[in-house]
Amino acid sequence: MSLDQQFEAAAAKTKTYTKRPTDGELLELYGLYKQATIGDNNTSKPGMTDLKGKAKWEAWNGRKGMSQDDAKRAYIALVEKISSSYT
């Protein structure tokens, strides 16, 4: 199975969770997913009143410089690590 196929399978697996991961895990998943699919964050930082948007932006921006393949590998590893707790 190619890296892209493994990544897509991991992303699909997160949609089958019966319980919600912690906010920290969700932000980590989000940041890795965005880095893996888009690359470095190229959007402007949300304003101070948009706390959720700011947290998501920071989770993605914190991955700046990470290659898309490395982000895919990290995302797959994280999904494997936390899946037993949420399925």
Side-chain angles (χ1 to χ4, degrees), residues 36-84:
T37 57
I38 296 173
D40 286 346
N41 187 344
N42 57 1
T43 62
S44 56
K45 189 173 185 175
M48 289 177 54
T49 58
D50 183 3
L51 298 178
K52 183 177 179 182
K54 187 177 172 188
K56 289 170 74 173
W57 185 91
E58 288 172 351
W60 180 15
N61 199 57
R63 306 291 178 187
K64 190 172 267 188
M66 178 183 260
S67 76
Q68 287 182 281
D69 284 349
D70 285 346
K72 287 176 184 176
R73 286 185 196 94
Y75 183 89
I76 293 163
L78 179 59
V79 170
E80 288 174 4
K81 177 182 170 188
I82 69 171
S83 285
S84 62

